[in-house]
mmCIF file of all heavy atoms in Angstrom:
data_model
loop_
_atom_site.group_PDB
_atom_site.id
_atom_site.type_symbol
_atom_site.label_atom_id
_atom_site.label_comp_id
_atom_site.label_asym_id
_atom_site.label_seq_id
_atom_site.Cartn_x
_atom_site.Cartn_y
_atom_site.Cartn_z
ATOM 1 N N TYR A 969 146.349 -171.010 -14.886
ATOM 2 C CA TYR A 969 147.459 -170.611 -14.041
ATOM 3 C C TYR A 969 146.942 -170.594 -12.562
ATOM 4 O O TYR A 969 145.786 -170.252 -12.377
ATOM 5 C CB TYR A 969 148.067 -169.318 -14.382
ATOM 6 C CG TYR A 969 149.026 -169.317 -15.536
ATOM 7 C CD1 TYR A 969 148.573 -169.159 -16.837
ATOM 8 C CD2 TYR A 969 150.334 -169.591 -15.332
ATOM 9 C CE1 TYR A 969 149.417 -169.186 -17.885
ATOM 10 C CE2 TYR A 969 151.226 -169.668 -16.430
ATOM 11 C CZ TYR A 969 150.764 -169.409 -17.708
ATOM 12 O OH TYR A 969 151.576 -169.522 -18.848
ATOM 13 N N GLU A 970 147.853 -170.742 -11.611
ATOM 14 C CA GLU A 970 147.455 -170.578 -10.263
ATOM 15 C C GLU A 970 147.331 -169.179 -9.814
ATOM 16 O O GLU A 970 146.598 -168.894 -8.860
ATOM 17 C CB GLU A 970 148.490 -171.305 -9.354
ATOM 18 C CG GLU A 970 148.542 -172.810 -9.527
ATOM 19 C CD GLU A 970 149.509 -173.520 -8.650
ATOM 20 O OE1 GLU A 970 150.055 -172.868 -7.705
ATOM 21 O OE2 GLU A 970 149.763 -174.732 -8.805
ATOM 22 N N ASP A 971 147.993 -168.271 -10.605
ATOM 23 C CA ASP A 971 147.879 -166.827 -10.205
ATOM 24 C C ASP A 971 147.511 -166.019 -11.463
ATOM 25 O O ASP A 971 148.050 -166.195 -12.557
ATOM 26 C CB ASP A 971 149.288 -166.400 -9.723
ATOM 27 C CG ASP A 971 149.359 -164.991 -9.152
ATOM 28 O OD1 ASP A 971 148.680 -164.050 -9.735
ATOM 29 O OD2 ASP A 971 149.938 -164.812 -8.123
ATOM 30 N N ILE A 972 146.610 -165.078 -11.286
ATOM 31 C CA ILE A 972 146.109 -164.301 -12.380
ATOM 32 C C ILE A 972 147.224 -163.414 -13.040
ATOM 33 O O ILE A 972 147.299 -163.244 -14.239
ATOM 34 C CB ILE A 972 144.928 -163.366 -11.932
ATOM 35 C CG1 ILE A 972 144.306 -162.593 -13.152
ATOM 36 C CG2 ILE A 972 145.411 -162.346 -10.930
ATOM 37 C CD1 ILE A 972 143.524 -163.457 -13.991
ATOM 38 N N TYR A 973 148.239 -163.019 -12.240
ATOM 39 C CA TYR A 973 149.323 -162.214 -12.776
ATOM 40 C C TYR A 973 150.185 -163.001 -13.635
ATOM 41 O O TYR A 973 150.765 -162.534 -14.645
ATOM 42 C CB TYR A 973 150.112 -161.558 -11.590
ATOM 43 C CG TYR A 973 149.270 -160.602 -10.829
ATOM 44 C CD1 TYR A 973 148.779 -160.898 -9.580
ATOM 45 C CD2 TYR A 973 148.897 -159.378 -11.321
ATOM 46 C CE1 TYR A 973 147.957 -160.068 -8.816
ATOM 47 C CE2 TYR A 973 148.017 -158.483 -10.672
ATOM 48 C CZ TYR A 973 147.631 -158.828 -9.411
ATOM 49 O OH TYR A 973 146.780 -157.955 -8.703
ATOM 50 N N ASP A 974 150.382 -164.329 -13.346
ATOM 51 C CA ASP A 974 151.143 -165.202 -14.217
ATOM 52 C C ASP A 974 150.391 -165.397 -15.566
ATOM 53 O O ASP A 974 150.983 -165.364 -16.599
ATOM 54 C CB ASP A 974 151.314 -166.571 -13.595
ATOM 55 C CG ASP A 974 152.193 -166.501 -12.289
ATOM 56 O OD1 ASP A 974 152.865 -165.502 -12.152
ATOM 57 O OD2 ASP A 974 152.042 -167.433 -11.487
ATOM 58 N N ALA A 975 149.059 -165.502 -15.482
ATOM 59 C CA ALA A 975 148.293 -165.578 -16.739
ATOM 60 C C ALA A 975 148.453 -164.330 -17.605
ATOM 61 O O ALA A 975 148.610 -164.386 -18.794
ATOM 62 C CB ALA A 975 146.847 -165.861 -16.384
ATOM 63 N N LYS A 976 148.391 -163.156 -16.924
ATOM 64 C CA LYS A 976 148.613 -161.893 -17.666
ATOM 65 C C LYS A 976 149.954 -161.823 -18.313
ATOM 66 O O LYS A 976 150.111 -161.432 -19.485
ATOM 67 C CB LYS A 976 148.433 -160.749 -16.692
ATOM 68 C CG LYS A 976 148.585 -159.358 -17.464
ATOM 69 C CD LYS A 976 148.299 -158.208 -16.595
ATOM 70 C CE LYS A 976 148.509 -156.885 -17.269
ATOM 71 N NZ LYS A 976 148.863 -156.801 -18.638
ATOM 72 N N ALA A 977 151.022 -162.311 -17.651
ATOM 73 C CA ALA A 977 152.365 -162.279 -18.186
ATOM 74 C C ALA A 977 152.429 -163.207 -19.419
ATOM 75 O O ALA A 977 153.050 -162.886 -20.464
ATOM 76 C CB ALA A 977 153.362 -162.710 -17.142
ATOM 77 N N ALA A 978 151.783 -164.366 -19.316
ATOM 78 C CA ALA A 978 151.743 -165.266 -20.457
ATOM 79 C C ALA A 978 151.049 -164.679 -21.640
ATOM 80 O O ALA A 978 151.532 -164.727 -22.850
ATOM 81 C CB ALA A 978 151.052 -166.579 -20.062
ATOM 82 N N VAL A 979 149.819 -164.062 -21.426
ATOM 83 C CA VAL A 979 149.136 -163.366 -22.497
ATOM 84 C C VAL A 979 150.000 -162.298 -23.160
ATOM 85 O O VAL A 979 150.067 -162.200 -24.382
ATOM 86 C CB VAL A 979 147.792 -162.794 -22.036
ATOM 87 C CG1 VAL A 979 147.152 -161.878 -23.018
ATOM 88 C CG2 VAL A 979 146.888 -163.880 -21.610
ATOM 89 N N ASP A 980 150.649 -161.492 -22.305
ATOM 90 C CA ASP A 980 151.435 -160.398 -22.791
ATOM 91 C C ASP A 980 152.715 -160.848 -23.614
ATOM 92 O O ASP A 980 153.081 -160.246 -24.580
ATOM 93 C CB ASP A 980 151.969 -159.501 -21.690
ATOM 94 C CG ASP A 980 150.849 -158.766 -21.007
ATOM 95 O OD1 ASP A 980 149.744 -158.699 -21.596
ATOM 96 O OD2 ASP A 980 151.053 -158.276 -19.884
#
Side-chain angles (χ1 to χ4, degrees):
Y969 282 92
E970 292 183 10
D971 189 319
I972 186 73
Y973 296 106
D974 296 339
K976 181 175 177 4
V979 168
D980 292 344

